[in-house]
Amino acid sequence: PGAGGSEEIFTGRVSQDGTWDATYGTDGRYFLPLGSGYHGAVRDMVLLPNGKALVTVDALDVDNTSSIIVMRVLPEGGLDQTFGTSGRVQIPCPGTGCNVASLALDAQERVIAVGSYLGDNGPEVMVMRWLAEASPLGRTEADVREQLRVYPVPATDALQLDVPAE
């Protein structure tokens, strides 16, 4: 545990010669606070085109409720305070025991997360797609209203919906 009893996640960056990269954190290492009341295990990290990274943690809170915590890390270390709440987004697990097995970027630079959880009928596969620059709840309602196109109005038996790609 780190300062104040909050569990910390270790991140580091190594130079091409195998030594710690001194431009990252303190001597190549950075400890990120997971958040009060959570403990967990880091599962994967993906480097974003802008130099930031997303780190996923399979987490449990004090009531042993499963969730996924996504942390956005700045290129020089530390949490990106413009992401979610203090650099973190907490995603409730649809069952118990969420496990993010892998992260990757798709062709539109969206993050794909693959994993599993335990549902009511046994193990379930979990696949999610995240926008790395999204708000804590994804796109905001104001963003959608400005860019969304719905037609024809009035609709008869079908309604078309255009949402522009990010």
Side-chain angles (χ1 to χ4, degrees), residues 84-103:
T85 304
S86 301
R88 298 173 209 77
V89 172
Q90 183 261 347
I91 302 168
C93 183
T96 59
C98 275
N99 179 349
V100 174
S102 183
L103 296 176

Side-chain angles (χ1 to χ4, degrees), residues 15-99:
S15 299
Q16 287 182 333
D17 66 2
T19 61
W20 289 110
D21 180 353
T23 66
Y24 183 85
T26 303
D27 297 325
R29 292 159 264 207
Y30 209 100
F31 292 88
L32 305 170
L34 183 54
S36 182
Y38 288 99
H39 65 278
V42 173
R43 292 299 177 196
D44 206 357
M45 181 204 79
V46 66
L47 185 62
L48 304 172
N50 62 7
K52 297 176 185 178
L54 286 184
V55 175
T56 59
V57 178
D58 296 343
L60 292 172
D61 67 13
V62 293
D63 297 323
N64 281 329
T65 301
S66 256
S67 62
I68 300 163
I69 295 180
V70 182
M71 305 164 89
R72 190 163 67 193
V73 182
L74 297 169
E76 64 277 357
L79 290 173
D80 181 351
Q81 298 298 314
T82 66
F83 180 73
T85 304
S86 301
R88 298 173 209 77
V89 172
Q90 183 261 347
I91 302 168
C93 183
T96 59
C98 275
N99 179 349

Side-chain angles (χ1 to χ4, degrees), residues 91-145:
I91 302 168
C93 183
T96 59
C98 275
N99 179 349
V100 174
S102 183
L103 296 176
L105 289 179
D106 72 4
Q108 288 81 39
E109 298 178 350
R110 295 171 295 201
V111 178
I112 307 297
V114 178
S116 62
Y117 66 93
L118 186 59
D120 292 338
N121 298 318
E124 300 284 349
V125 173
M126 175 173 59
V127 178
M128 296 177 276
R129 185 173 63 191
W130 303 325
L131 303 174
E133 296 298 326
S135 71
L137 299 175
R139 298 181 68 186
T140 66
E141 184 179 340
D143 292 339
V144 171
R145 264 190 270 129

